[in-house]
Amino acid sequence: ELQLRRRKSDVLADLPAKRIIDVPLEMAGPQRESYDRVQQEGLVRLRSMGPDIRVANVLELIMRLKQVCNFDPVTGASVKLDDIQRRLVALVAEGHRALIFSQFVGDQFGVSAIAARLFEFQPLVFTGALSVEERDAVAAQFGSDSGSNALILSLRAGAFGLNLQRASYVFHMDRWWNPAIERQAEGRSHRMGQRNPVTCYRYTIENTIEERIDQILRSKQQLFDQVVDDVSLDLETSLSRDEIFSVFGL
């Protein structure tokens, strides 16, 4: 019946500002061709199911398309990573460090693939595959004066419990579409002890599944923000069956 709301800005009045920058990108060439092919093949499969189609089938296609928005499965091209790489060159030259989050961990679409492409920045990797001791060692190494300028984290493993104030830039390679989890991830850098303003980049590929679902959840988040901060929004719980199917015109 009663809820006590305590905002971070109320408790930590001296905390530097946090700025969110949405980065819409256009996808072209082989990566766009792969996306269109996967989407078309997926839609043919979904329609062939007829009345047996389930929400899980649609969510499976959404996940597959999100992966292609990260990397072309054929050539490895990534318009997102090209943009991140360009920004990192400038940021590192100015003495900054960055956190890069992805919900995927593999060497084709996720953390491992990002680390391989950003080898010039001597990135460290933090995923659920690491033991507790290994996670502590990675966090400590990034917090020291090591030459690692980027820490690449899986969103599920790295969103909670870490103190990473040495980084003042955060990149969301892909969106979990759960604002509460994203803000928790940003909070690894934007917390007590941070001396610099924190800038967070959130990537969305135009004319893809990412843009369509982002538009739906934005409208819902605006309503929830009027009541309480960091409300959790997940596709399975926040979108109705009709909304999920309508993403593909089904």
Side-chain angles (χ1 to χ4, degrees):
E1 295 179 356
L2 297 175
Q3 185 178 59
L4 175 64
R5 177 169 68 175
R6 186 175 65 168
R7 300 174 187 265
K8 181 186 290 187
S9 58
D10 297 332
V11 180
L12 301 176
D14 296 332
L15 195 65
K18 182 177 74 171
R19 181 173 58 155
I20 305 294
I21 299 177
D22 289 310
V23 184
L25 297 173
E26 291 185 4
M27 189 166 56
Q31 191 175 7
R32 169 56 73 175
E33 293 172 4
S34 292
Y35 179 90
D36 292 342
R37 182 178 64 258
V38 171
Q39 178 172 251
Q40 183 59 35
E41 293 174 352
L43 287 175
V44 170
R45 178 175 175 271
L46 291 179
R47 293 193 176 103
S48 69
M49 294 180 180
D52 295 327
I53 190 173
R54 298 290 182 267
V55 168
N57 304 129
V58 181
L59 293 177
E60 181 182 355
L61 177 57
I62 289 175
M63 188 67 66
R64 177 63 176 146
L65 291 174
K66 286 180 63 178
Q67 291 175 332
V68 180
C69 284
N70 277 6
F71 289 92
D72 176 16
V74 178
T75 66
S78 173
V79 63
K80 291 180 180 178
L81 201 55
D82 288 344
D83 188 85
I84 292 175
Q85 197 165 20
R86 286 194 297 269
R87 295 180 190 273
L88 279 180
V89 169
L91 296 178
V92 170
E94 296 173 356
H96 298 292
R97 294 186 182 184
L99 308 179
I100 303 171
F101 287 96
S102 174
Q103 74 175 103
F104 306 111
V105 298
D107 56 7
Q108 189 173 18
F109 304 108
V111 169
S112 296
I114 298 170
R117 281 279 299 274
L118 299 180
F119 66 91
E120 64 185 287
F121 303 104
Q122 303 182 48
L124 297 172
V125 170
F126 190 103
T127 70
L130 301 179
S131 67
V132 174
E133 293 76 13
E134 290 171 330
R135 295 187 194 190
D136 291 342
V138 169
Q141 183 178 350
F142 186 74
S144 69
D145 292 326
S146 68
S148 298
N149 298 302
L151 177 60
I152 307 170
L153 311 93
S154 63
L155 194 55
R156 186 179 296 275
F160 303 96
L162 291 173
N163 299 313
L164 302 171
Q165 300 94 326
R166 291 298 297 271
S168 53
Y169 284 83
V170 177
F171 294 85
H172 290 290
M173 177 79 171
D174 45 73
R175 308 289 304 282
W176 198 320
W177 292 313
N178 185 329
I181 297 296
E182 288 187 348
R183 292 175 186 175
Q184 288 285 352
E186 294 157 7
R188 301 314 93 215
S189 172
H190 190 239
R191 61 192 301 109
M192 186 182 301
Q194 178 59 260
R195 300 177 180 178
N196 302 310
V198 174
T199 302
C200 306
Y201 295 102
R202 304 189 304 191
Y203 287 89
T204 301
I205 302 297
E206 296 178 331
N207 299 313
T208 68
I209 188 66
E210 291 188 332
E211 185 178 59
R212 295 197 292 274
I213 295 183
D214 181 62
Q215 291 171 348
I216 295 174
L217 293 185
R218 277 180 183 274
S219 64
K220 292 177 176 287
Q221 183 63 32
Q222 289 173 358
L223 294 176
F224 287 129
D225 278 342
Q226 296 176 11
V227 181
V228 65
D229 295 330
D230 293 343
V231 171
S232 177
L233 292 179
D234 284 312
L235 292 186
E236 295 90 336
T237 58
S238 299
L239 301 187
S240 67
R241 187 174 188 273
D242 288 341
E243 285 175 322
I244 291 176
F245 280 100
S246 70
V247 169
F248 293 113
L250 298 171

